[in-house]
Amino acid sequence: MTAVAEAAAVTVPTVVTVTHELRGAARELMRRREGEVLMSGPAGSGKSRACMIKVHTAALKYPKSDILVARKRATTLSSSFTTEWENLIAEELASGAVIYFGGSKRTPAQYQYENGSTVTLGGLDLAIKIMSTQRDMVYVQESTELTLDDWESLTTRARGVTMPYKQLIADCNPDAESHWLKQRANSGKTLILYSVHEDNPRYFHADGTLTPEGVAYIAKLDALTGVRYLRLRKGLWVAAEGMIFEDFDPAIHLIDQFKIPDSWTRWWCVDFGHTNPFVCQWWAEDPDGRIYLYREIYMTKRLVEDHARDMMLAVTKVVGDVPDRPVLTAKDIHEDIAAGLRVWTEPRPRAIIRDHDAEDAATLERHLEMGTSAAHKAVNPGIEAVQARWRVQDDGKARIYFMHDAVVERDETLVDRRLPTSTVEELPGYVWDTSGGKKLKEQPRKENDHGCDTTRYLASELEHGAQPDIQWM
């Protein structure tokens, strides 16, 4: 098809009114046009209905649109989708604005709209029927059932020409952090939206109180234990038992980036590593003592002096004609600052709190030209200090937050090894070590804990009293 012909094929959207109470992630889904969007959340948070509402709205708004609803197996789709879907479109079915076609040898089952749009149903076990047509939108139920090959095959189907954007949307209950779908979201290929029970009007009123039906349903979920509780009640991507930060809730503690006031205190926290990740976290503390992680280096296989350069690059910008250099060093950056060719873009840290490795600490201080403070290393008191910050206070806010897109540079080595690439990705797998007869909550397992250790350094510092202000060298 030529470009002119393709443009002509695009249908002008119809103005439609679809009335539903949408909250949180469900509301966010309606405005998102990214190519891949995943609704992740615990059981009963309304994520499937949100996806159905988007499908129905698109079918009404864009005449002749071709939408596919799929699941791994066709038989499970009919049982999980049809009842709620037909409840959603009951008025259109009753009026004849939408009719159901049961399928034939050549055409799969579908709902046909009077404006020419179709919502086709299919399972990937019967792919020959559903993969032969380009679709404007694809919706996958329980997407953790799919393989990566299944997913990528569906992305090639979302290539229709009727809608002004093409999209693959999906819902799922969380699985293990290592699941390919979560890793795909972590890499930025798929946008992940976190649905919570409070988003579902069936179980929660708008003011956050439980409905009568919600009281019974949430009580059942609260009775779950272990991984099932963490996934189906808390909505966490976690595989292991004994999660340390059980109160971590992505829907609460993960927030968008925002402009941080210069008046807020800044803290830098560092955990040294080479084979394991070197972690540097930038935190801002608001006047009420809440802390926000807004930037992070999480990187392996680099020298401390290179990390020092990258740390300085993150907080400065060029304002003059700096010399051309084959290799930029932290020393060069300091010389440019002294010459007025580069300036700081944010307040300097009150303190740099770091691991106790004396050699690495000396190297870091020399290249940053700043002094550092040794962290309080007592593990369990530090864990308790972090745990206290997850809890939502009387003012409706927690005392610790992590910003999306905080990592300065993604470590592709860690991606390839399916290891955490940020502190946030560590949190669900930060668990108590019960090997060798150790008691639960005695000590954490020393594995993929570098960002969590670094976070603990700051919480301990704030809990046990700040060290003297940073000494500039």
Side-chain angles (χ1 to χ4, degrees), residues 285-305:
E285 182 183 6
D286 74 10
D288 295 317
R290 290 183 286 265
I291 55 175
Y292 302 77
L293 187 146
Y294 64 95
R295 185 185 297 120
E296 180 174 28
I297 290 175
Y298 195 105
M299 182 65 61
T300 60
K301 305 298 178 62
R302 287 186 185 169
L303 300 175
V304 173
E305 51 261 44

PDB file of all heavy atoms in Angstrom, residues 285-305:
ATOM      1  N   GLU A 285      15.727  14.980  50.532  1.00  0.00           N
ATOM      2  CA  GLU A 285      14.922  14.926  51.756  1.00  0.00           C
ATOM      3  C   GLU A 285      14.077  16.184  51.847  1.00  0.00           C
ATOM      4  O   GLU A 285      14.601  17.302  51.823  1.00  0.00           O
ATOM      5  CB  GLU A 285      15.835  14.814  52.984  1.00  0.00           C
ATOM      6  CG  GLU A 285      15.075  14.713  54.300  1.00  0.00           C
ATOM      7  CD  GLU A 285      16.001  14.671  55.506  1.00  0.00           C
ATOM      8  OE1 GLU A 285      17.228  14.828  55.326  1.00  0.00           O
ATOM      9  OE2 GLU A 285      15.495  14.500  56.631  1.00  0.00           O
ATOM     10  N   ASP A 286      12.759  16.002  51.935  1.00  0.00           N
ATOM     11  CA  ASP A 286      11.879  17.162  51.992  1.00  0.00           C
ATOM     12  C   ASP A 286      11.808  17.709  53.422  1.00  0.00           C
ATOM     13  O   ASP A 286      12.340  17.104  54.365  1.00  0.00           O
ATOM     14  CB  ASP A 286      10.497  16.834  51.406  1.00  0.00           C
ATOM     15  CG  ASP A 286       9.636  15.957  52.313  1.00  0.00           C
ATOM     16  OD1 ASP A 286      10.000  15.744  53.482  1.00  0.00           O
ATOM     17  OD2 ASP A 286       8.590  15.479  51.836  1.00  0.00           O
ATOM     18  N   PRO A 287      11.174  18.850  53.623  1.00  0.00           N
ATOM     19  CA  PRO A 287      11.147  19.458  54.966  1.00  0.00           C
ATOM     20  C   PRO A 287      10.482  18.600  56.033  1.00  0.00           C
ATOM     21  O   PRO A 287      10.715  18.805  57.230  1.00  0.00           O
ATOM     22  CB  PRO A 287      10.365  20.759  54.735  1.00  0.00           C
ATOM     23  CG  PRO A 287      10.583  21.084  53.292  1.00  0.00           C
ATOM     24  CD  PRO A 287      10.616  19.763  52.595  1.00  0.00           C
ATOM     25  N   ASP A 288       9.655  17.622  55.618  1.00  0.00           N
ATOM     26  CA  ASP A 288       8.998  16.742  56.576  1.00  0.00           C
ATOM     27  C   ASP A 288       9.760  15.444  56.817  1.00  0.00           C
ATOM     28  O   ASP A 288       9.257  14.537  57.498  1.00  0.00           O
ATOM     29  CB  ASP A 288       7.576  16.414  56.103  1.00  0.00           C
ATOM     30  CG  ASP A 288       6.679  17.645  56.079  1.00  0.00           C
ATOM     31  OD1 ASP A 288       6.757  18.424  57.053  1.00  0.00           O
ATOM     32  OD2 ASP A 288       5.935  17.827  55.109  1.00  0.00           O
ATOM     33  N   GLY A 289      10.961  15.333  56.245  1.00  0.00           N
ATOM     34  CA  GLY A 289      11.791  14.160  56.488  1.00  0.00           C
ATOM     35  C   GLY A 289      11.545  13.000  55.551  1.00  0.00           C
ATOM     36  O   GLY A 289      12.143  11.932  55.720  1.00  0.00           O
ATOM     37  N   ARG A 290      10.668  13.169  54.542  1.00  0.00           N
ATOM     38  CA  ARG A 290      10.488  12.113  53.552  1.00  0.00           C
ATOM     39  C   ARG A 290      11.679  12.117  52.594  1.00  0.00           C
ATOM     40  O   ARG A 290      12.207  13.182  52.253  1.00  0.00           O
ATOM     41  CB  ARG A 290       9.193  12.320  52.774  1.00  0.00           C
ATOM     42  CG  ARG A 290       7.936  12.075  53.605  1.00  0.00           C
ATOM     43  CD  ARG A 290       6.679  12.237  52.757  1.00  0.00           C
ATOM     44  NE  ARG A 290       6.437  13.644  52.484  1.00  0.00           N
ATOM     45  CZ  ARG A 290       5.640  14.431  53.198  1.00  0.00           C
ATOM     46  NH1 ARG A 290       5.016  13.950  54.262  1.00  0.00           N
ATOM     47  NH2 ARG A 290       5.466  15.686  52.872  1.00  0.00           N
ATOM     48  N   ILE A 291      12.090  10.944  52.129  1.00  0.00           N
ATOM     49  CA  ILE A 291      13.241  10.857  51.235  1.00  0.00           C
ATOM     50  C   ILE A 291      12.822  10.278  49.885  1.00  0.00           C
ATOM     51  O   ILE A 291      11.948   9.419  49.802  1.00  0.00           O
ATOM     52  CB  ILE A 291      14.381  10.031  51.857  1.00  0.00           C
ATOM     53  CG1 ILE A 291      13.905   8.642  52.277  1.00  0.00           C
ATOM     54  CG2 ILE A 291      15.000  10.774  53.035  1.00  0.00           C
ATOM     55  CD1 ILE A 291      15.025   7.733  52.784  1.00  0.00           C
ATOM     56  N   TYR A 292      13.471  10.769  48.834  1.00  0.00           N
ATOM     57  CA  TYR A 292      13.134  10.427  47.457  1.00  0.00           C
ATOM     58  C   TYR A 292      14.408  10.058  46.704  1.00  0.00           C
ATOM     59  O   TYR A 292      15.320  10.885  46.581  1.00  0.00           O
ATOM     60  CB  TYR A 292      12.481  11.618  46.752  1.00  0.00           C
ATOM     61  CG  TYR A 292      11.229  12.141  47.420  1.00  0.00           C
ATOM     62  CD1 TYR A 292      11.304  12.932  48.564  1.00  0.00           C
ATOM     63  CD2 TYR A 292       9.972  11.847  46.897  1.00  0.00           C
ATOM     64  CE1 TYR A 292      10.153  13.413  49.177  1.00  0.00           C
ATOM     65  CE2 TYR A 292       8.818  12.326  47.502  1.00  0.00           C
ATOM     66  CZ  TYR A 292       8.921  13.109  48.645  1.00  0.00           C
ATOM     67  OH  TYR A 292       7.780  13.589  49.247  1.00  0.00           O
ATOM     68  N   LEU A 293      14.486   8.827  46.212  1.00  0.00           N
ATOM     69  CA  LEU A 293      15.601   8.447  45.359  1.00  0.00           C
ATOM     70  C   LEU A 293      15.282   8.921  43.940  1.00  0.00           C
ATOM     71  O   LEU A 293      14.325   8.457  43.327  1.00  0.00           O
ATOM     72  CB  LEU A 293      15.831   6.941  45.362  1.00  0.00           C
ATOM     73  CG  LEU A 293      17.080   6.470  44.617  1.00  0.00           C
ATOM     74  CD1 LEU A 293      17.691   5.250  45.293  1.00  0.00           C
ATOM     75  CD2 LEU A 293      16.814   6.161  43.150  1.00  0.00           C
ATOM     76  N   TYR A 294      16.066   9.871  43.433  1.00  0.00           N
ATOM     77  CA  TYR A 294      15.754  10.468  42.131  1.00  0.00           C
ATOM     78  C   TYR A 294      16.791  10.166  41.059  1.00  0.00           C
ATOM     79  O   TYR A 294      16.554  10.426  39.879  1.00  0.00           O
ATOM     80  CB  TYR A 294      15.561  11.979  42.269  1.00  0.00           C
ATOM     81  CG  TYR A 294      16.782  12.761  42.715  1.00  0.00           C
ATOM     82  CD1 TYR A 294      17.628  13.366  41.780  1.00  0.00           C
ATOM     83  CD2 TYR A 294      17.073  12.926  44.070  1.00  0.00           C
ATOM     84  CE1 TYR A 294      18.737  14.104  42.188  1.00  0.00           C
ATOM     85  CE2 TYR A 294      18.173  13.662  44.482  1.00  0.00           C
ATOM     86  CZ  TYR A 294      19.008  14.248  43.540  1.00  0.00           C
ATOM     87  OH  TYR A 294      20.100  14.982  43.935  1.00  0.00           O
ATOM     88  N   ARG A 295      17.941   9.637  41.468  1.00  0.00           N
ATOM     89  CA  ARG A 295      18.975   9.290  40.476  1.00  0.00           C
ATOM     90  C   ARG A 295      19.803   8.143  41.046  1.00  0.00           C
ATOM     91  O   ARG A 295      19.982   8.038  42.254  1.00  0.00           O
ATOM     92  CB  ARG A 295      19.861  10.488  40.172  1.00  0.00           C
ATOM     93  CG  ARG A 295      20.886  10.243  39.059  1.00  0.00           C
ATOM     94  CD  ARG A 295      21.827  11.417  38.852  1.00  0.00           C
ATOM     95  NE  ARG A 295      21.127  12.626  38.431  1.00  0.00           N
ATOM     96  CZ  ARG A 295      21.134  13.762  39.094  1.00  0.00           C
ATOM     97  NH1 ARG A 295      21.818  13.862  40.230  1.00  0.00           N
ATOM     98  NH2 ARG A 295      20.482  14.818  38.656  1.00  0.00           N
ATOM     99  N   GLU A 296      20.308   7.287  40.142  1.00  0.00           N
ATOM    100  CA  GLU A 296      21.075   6.137  40.615  1.00  0.00           C
ATOM    101  C   GLU A 296      22.055   5.665  39.554  1.00  0.00           C
ATOM    102  O   GLU A 296      21.729   5.586  38.366  1.00  0.00           O
ATOM    103  CB  GLU A 296      20.107   4.992  40.964  1.00  0.00           C
ATOM    104  CG  GLU A 296      20.779   3.730  41.469  1.00  0.00           C
ATOM    105  CD  GLU A 296      19.781   2.682  41.937  1.00  0.00           C
ATOM    106  OE1 GLU A 296      18.640   2.669  41.426  1.00  0.00           O
ATOM    107  OE2 GLU A 296      20.136   1.882  42.817  1.00  0.00           O
ATOM    108  N   ILE A 297      23.270   5.356  39.987  1.00  0.00           N
ATOM    109  CA  ILE A 297      24.222   4.590  39.190  1.00  0.00           C
ATOM    110  C   ILE A 297      24.205   3.169  39.744  1.00  0.00           C
ATOM    111  O   ILE A 297      24.346   2.968  40.956  1.00  0.00           O
ATOM    112  CB  ILE A 297      25.640   5.179  39.269  1.00  0.00           C
ATOM    113  CG1 ILE A 297      25.696   6.523  38.520  1.00  0.00           C
ATOM    114  CG2 ILE A 297      26.667   4.214  38.674  1.00  0.00           C
ATOM    115  CD1 ILE A 297      27.032   7.246  38.656  1.00  0.00           C
ATOM    116  N   TYR A 298      24.018   2.202  38.875  1.00  0.00           N
ATOM    117  CA  TYR A 298      23.963   0.791  39.254  1.00  0.00           C
ATOM    118  C   TYR A 298      24.710   0.046  38.164  1.00  0.00           C
ATOM    119  O   TYR A 298      24.142  -0.328  37.142  1.00  0.00           O
ATOM    120  CB  TYR A 298      22.507   0.345  39.355  1.00  0.00           C
ATOM    121  CG  TYR A 298      22.258  -0.976  40.065  1.00  0.00           C
ATOM    122  CD1 TYR A 298      21.741  -1.005  41.356  1.00  0.00           C
ATOM    123  CD2 TYR A 298      22.511  -2.190  39.433  1.00  0.00           C
ATOM    124  CE1 TYR A 298      21.478  -2.206  42.004  1.00  0.00           C
ATOM    125  CE2 TYR A 298      22.258  -3.397  40.062  1.00  0.00           C
ATOM    126  CZ  TYR A 298      21.742  -3.397  41.350  1.00  0.00           C
ATOM    127  OH  TYR A 298      21.485  -4.594  41.989  1.00  0.00           O
ATOM    128  N   MET A 299      26.018  -0.147  38.342  1.00  0.00           N
ATOM    129  CA  MET A 299      26.865  -0.556  37.224  1.00  0.00           C
ATOM    130  C   MET A 299      28.003  -1.472  37.683  1.00  0.00           C
ATOM    131  O   MET A 299      28.600  -1.247  38.738  1.00  0.00           O
ATOM    132  CB  MET A 299      27.436   0.702  36.548  1.00  0.00           C
ATOM    133  CG  MET A 299      28.307   0.457  35.336  1.00  0.00           C
ATOM    134  SD  MET A 299      27.420  -0.288  33.936  1.00  0.00           S
ATOM    135  CE  MET A 299      26.181   0.970  33.591  1.00  0.00           C
ATOM    136  N   THR A 300      28.302  -2.467  36.878  1.00  0.00           N
ATOM    137  CA  THR A 300      29.425  -3.367  37.130  1.00  0.00           C
ATOM    138  C   THR A 300      30.591  -3.050  36.195  1.00  0.00           C
ATOM    139  O   THR A 300      30.448  -2.317  35.217  1.00  0.00           O
ATOM    140  CB  THR A 300      29.009  -4.836  36.898  1.00  0.00           C
ATOM    141  OG1 THR A 300      28.589  -4.986  35.527  1.00  0.00           O
ATOM    142  CG2 THR A 300      27.875  -5.238  37.811  1.00  0.00           C
ATOM    143  N   LYS A 301      31.752  -3.609  36.554  1.00  0.00           N
ATOM    144  CA  LYS A 301      32.942  -3.644  35.691  1.00  0.00           C
ATOM    145  C   LYS A 301      33.492  -2.263  35.338  1.00  0.00           C
ATOM    146  O   LYS A 301      34.024  -2.056  34.244  1.00  0.00           O
ATOM    147  CB  LYS A 301      32.645  -4.432  34.395  1.00  0.00           C
ATOM    148  CG  LYS A 301      32.120  -5.838  34.627  1.00  0.00           C
ATOM    149  CD  LYS A 301      33.115  -6.709  35.362  1.00  0.00           C
ATOM    150  CE  LYS A 301      32.578  -8.106  35.642  1.00  0.00           C
ATOM    151  NZ  LYS A 301      32.259  -8.875  34.463  1.00  0.00           N
ATOM    152  N   ARG A 302      33.378  -1.309  36.248  1.00  0.00           N
ATOM    153  CA  ARG A 302      33.996  -0.002  36.057  1.00  0.00           C
ATOM    154  C   ARG A 302      34.810   0.367  37.298  1.00  0.00           C
ATOM    155  O   ARG A 302      34.491  -0.042  38.399  1.00  0.00           O
ATOM    156  CB  ARG A 302      32.951   1.085  35.770  1.00  0.00           C
ATOM    157  CG  ARG A 302      32.359   0.979  34.386  1.00  0.00           C
ATOM    158  CD  ARG A 302      31.454   2.136  34.065  1.00  0.00           C
ATOM    159  NE  ARG A 302      30.814   1.948  32.763  1.00  0.00           N
ATOM    160  CZ  ARG A 302      29.824   2.665  32.297  1.00  0.00           C
ATOM    161  NH1 ARG A 302      29.330   3.667  33.028  1.00  0.00           N
ATOM    162  NH2 ARG A 302      29.297   2.430  31.106  1.00  0.00           N
ATOM    163  N   LEU A 303      35.837   1.160  37.075  1.00  0.00           N
ATOM    164  CA  LEU A 303      36.702   1.588  38.162  1.00  0.00           C
ATOM    165  C   LEU A 303      36.038   2.707  38.968  1.00  0.00           C
ATOM    166  O   LEU A 303      35.187   3.442  38.460  1.00  0.00           O
ATOM    167  CB  LEU A 303      38.037   2.065  37.611  1.00  0.00           C
ATOM    168  CG  LEU A 303      38.846   1.029  36.808  1.00  0.00           C
ATOM    169  CD1 LEU A 303      40.091   1.685  36.226  1.00  0.00           C
ATOM    170  CD2 LEU A 303      39.203  -0.173  37.672  1.00  0.00           C
ATOM    171  N   VAL A 304      36.462   2.837  40.211  1.00  0.00           N
ATOM    172  CA  VAL A 304      35.901   3.865  41.086  1.00  0.00           C
ATOM    173  C   VAL A 304      36.101   5.251  40.484  1.00  0.00           C
ATOM    174  O   VAL A 304      35.198   6.102  40.527  1.00  0.00           O
ATOM    175  CB  VAL A 304      36.536   3.783  42.487  1.00  0.00           C
ATOM    176  CG1 VAL A 304      36.086   4.962  43.350  1.00  0.00           C
ATOM    177  CG2 VAL A 304      36.154   2.472  43.167  1.00  0.00           C
ATOM    178  N   GLU A 305      37.272   5.514  39.892  1.00  0.00           N
ATOM    179  CA  GLU A 305      37.517   6.836  39.301  1.00  0.00           C
ATOM    180  C   GLU A 305      36.578   7.130  38.133  1.00  0.00           C
ATOM    181  O   GLU A 305      36.198   8.275  37.899  1.00  0.00           O
ATOM    182  CB  GLU A 305      38.972   6.985  38.868  1.00  0.00           C
ATOM    183  CG  GLU A 305      39.501   5.860  38.004  1.00  0.00           C
ATOM    184  CD  GLU A 305      40.297   4.851  38.822  1.00  0.00           C
ATOM    185  OE1 GLU A 305      39.837   4.489  39.930  1.00  0.00           O
ATOM    186  OE2 GLU A 305      41.373   4.434  38.342  1.00  0.00           O
TER     187      GLU A 305
END
